[in-house]
Amino acid sequence: MAAALLPETASRLLTPETLRTAAKQSQGIHLVPIFLRRAIKRYLRDQDKTHMHRKVLLLSSSFERAKGTGVELAAAATRGALIDDPHAPVDAEQRTARWKVRSAYGDIGLQYRADETVAYVASRMPAIYAACHRVLREVRRRSPDFAPKNVLDFGAGPSSALWAMRAVWPKSIERVNLIEPSKEMQRAGQTLLDNLKGLPLIHSYGSIQELNRSIEKHERGHDLVISSYALGEIPSLNDRITIVRQLWDLTKDVLVLLEPGTPQGSKIISQMRSYILWMEKRKCRKIEKSTCGAPSETKSTVAQEALLKNGAFVVAPCPHDGRCPLENSDKYCHFVQRLERTSTQRIYKRSKGVPLRGFEDEKFCYVALRMGKRPEEAWPLDGMKFDTLKERHAKRNPEDFIIDYDEQFPSEEDEEAVAGDEDSLVPDDSLVPYASDTQELSLFHESGAEEEDDPIRAGLGGGWGRIIYSPIRRGKQVQMDVCRSTKRDASEGAFERVIVTQSKNPALHLQARKSLWGDLWPF
């Protein structure tokens, strides 16, 4: 279903005090849910864990080789052929068939062996889950009316994105189609999902073509289509465009693309974003040309219906649908999600002699696109008036400077009451509390209830910019690199340095000091 037009009065609910809540999109340190940690432990318990450290290191080095291999494979890739990895060791013939072109439609993927799959689940799956959860959580916050029922996960791997979707929308998902060419990854995903209750109907396929042959044409539309860390494994740009176009044809509402936070990953996301927006704009222009000869009333009705059914706009992270302002610069758009390392990560990951930290930072790039026309909303700062620091001091009352010392220090009666309450507590040494286990037991049933009830949300209009990179705090001023829309219809954007000082705007200065990389900024 296309995105409905929201009334312009939606942003009027915002006040200078509630802007911070609406703009908050970043998360603190993410805690991997206890259900997923237990599933990973059960899976690894039945696997061969000999030389596990070496397997993790080999998997990491293969990812590093893949970054440079894609350019070389792009020139040599022929459809329907096996491609040798030019960086593979000479004595490892079994590794040369990892790059494989599966069909004439460009459905390409990495082939994972059993040892690589085990290493991936132990070392990479929690980080992929954290990045997917961060992205999907923002899609839910920005589009509260969106609750997917039918979901497609392309390049599913061990179903990391499925775990994140279940955490974000625990009740709405009814059917999930997984596309993963690696049989070992499919088996790992099935094993991890064992013993879970309330799962949706899940089907696994080896390619998009197999999916289209297996289901009816009217069932191919999916409310949510996600591709996480899969497009970077496709060496050719033409094949990536073919894949993304097929995924967009299978999308009925929202498409999410997620890649590693590297210059190559950011370039892939930027290219796919530009292609989908260009393709939909061209489709709308063709519809407008075809209705030129029709009567004016019929023409306007048909054009409006076509825009609602066709067209596309960016839900996140871009606040506009124009050309990316970082396209030909030395910077690239990416974000960071910090997560607490699981016990399996701490055991099997090495840090080259340096003590391993209890957390890690997962860098990622993403784009979430939605069908339809971008909602027309008032910008958040329209009609708002902010006092300067001098004006705020002038409005203070004399009573504000009076200090009541009786309220600052507790009385003797209060101290005796507190001491009595402490004596009544009986400590239990058998229970050891862990910060990782708090508020997680209801993950698949009541997750995100507080956020769903929160009416303060940032709209989808062009008035919300995106903070790229960490804000710089210097004295009483904050400097932020913001990607923003330069037009009311969000058709064009720019990358600007925004400076907020305490003297000119103390309210926004306080918000800027609390803003983090990835948050929104109002205009």
Side-chain angles (χ1 to χ4, degrees), residues 6-241:
L6 300 179
E8 290 192 4
T9 57
S11 298
R12 298 297 184 182
L13 298 175
L14 296 175
T15 63
E17 291 74 20
T18 59
L19 279 175
R20 169 62 188 157
T21 304
K24 179 68 175 177
Q25 300 296 330
S26 61
Q27 288 181 308
I29 185 168
H30 186 82
L31 306 179
V32 179
I34 190 172
F35 285 97
L36 180 55
R37 281 181 286 152
R38 289 175 177 172
I40 292 176
K41 286 184 178 180
R42 284 196 302 266
Y43 171 78
L44 296 177
R45 192 182 303 145
D46 302 330
Q47 306 299 322
D48 182 15
K49 294 188 288 295
T50 57
H51 307 293
M52 192 65 175
H53 292 285
R54 185 170 179 271
K55 294 177 183 178
V56 173
L57 290 176
L58 288 175
L59 179 68
S60 178
S61 62
S62 69
F63 287 145
E64 292 294 330
R65 291 197 307 269
K67 294 178 183 179
T69 304
V71 179
E72 300 180 28
L73 290 176
T78 55
R79 305 189 191 283
L82 290 176
I83 306 299
D84 292 344
D85 186 351
H87 296 289
V90 179
D91 57 344
E93 297 180 357
Q94 70 275 14
R95 297 180 184 276
T96 60
R98 195 180 177 202
W99 294 87
K100 187 175 182 181
V101 183
R102 294 188 55 86
S103 71
Y105 297 94
D107 191 2
I108 310 170
L110 289 180
Q111 299 297 301
Y112 287 87
R113 302 191 315 275
D115 56 342
E116 293 172 334
T117 301
V118 174
Y120 187 96
V121 172
S123 62
R124 289 293 298 151
M125 186 177 180
I128 305 298
Y129 165 84
C132 292
H133 185 275
R134 158 71 175 80
V135 173
L136 296 176
R137 172 179 170 269
E138 179 171 358
V139 172
R140 186 193 64 188
R141 284 178 58 88
R142 302 293 299 277
S143 304
D145 61 320
F146 176 64
K149 294 183 178 180
N150 299 326
V151 173
L152 172 63
D153 185 4
F154 175 77
S159 304
S160 306
L162 175 57
W163 283 83
M165 288 185 286
R166 286 278 295 162
V168 176
W169 293 286
K171 299 179 181 179
S172 66
I173 298 178
E174 299 176 357
R175 183 189 180 102
V176 178
N177 291 325
L178 305 177
I179 298 179
E180 174 54 51
S182 177
K183 297 298 181 182
E184 292 294 337
M185 281 291 188
Q186 288 186 16
R187 283 191 283 269
Q190 294 173 1
T191 305
L192 289 167
L193 292 172
D194 286 344
N195 303 322
L196 283 182
K197 299 180 180 179
L199 286 173
L201 185 62
I202 302 175
H203 295 281
S204 296
Y205 304 93
S207 65
I208 296 178
Q209 290 70 43
E210 183 182 348
L211 169 69
N212 291 333
R213 290 193 299 265
S214 303
I215 62 178
E216 299 293 334
K217 188 174 182 179
H218 66 276
E219 297 178 348
R220 294 177 185 173
H222 298 80
D223 300 323
L224 173 63
V225 176
I226 182 171
S227 170
S228 58
Y229 291 70
L231 297 178
E233 298 178 354
I234 302 173
S236 172
L237 174 61
N238 293 332
D239 292 326
R240 289 193 206 109
I241 291 177

Side-chain angles (χ1 to χ4, degrees), residues 249-315:
D249 292 338
L250 295 171
T251 303
K252 195 164 58 174
D253 202 342
V254 175
L255 170 66
V256 176
L257 305 177
L258 193 69
E259 288 298 315
T262 61
Q264 176 67 10
S266 177
K267 183 178 180 180
I268 292 173
I269 293 296
S270 178
Q271 291 171 342
M272 300 305 105
R273 169 190 178 274
S274 300
Y275 177 76
I276 292 177
L277 293 176
W278 169 81
M279 183 174 59
E280 289 300 316
K281 288 178 182 177
R282 185 183 62 173
K283 188 184 299 184
C284 293
R285 286 196 298 266
K286 288 183 178 180
I287 294 174
E288 291 177 359
K289 289 181 179 180
S290 63
T291 57
C292 287
S296 59
E297 296 181 359
T298 307
K299 177 181 176 181
S300 61
T301 304
V302 172
Q304 187 175 4
E305 292 178 356
L307 287 175
L308 291 176
K309 294 181 181 179
N310 299 295
F313 66 94
V314 182
V315 176

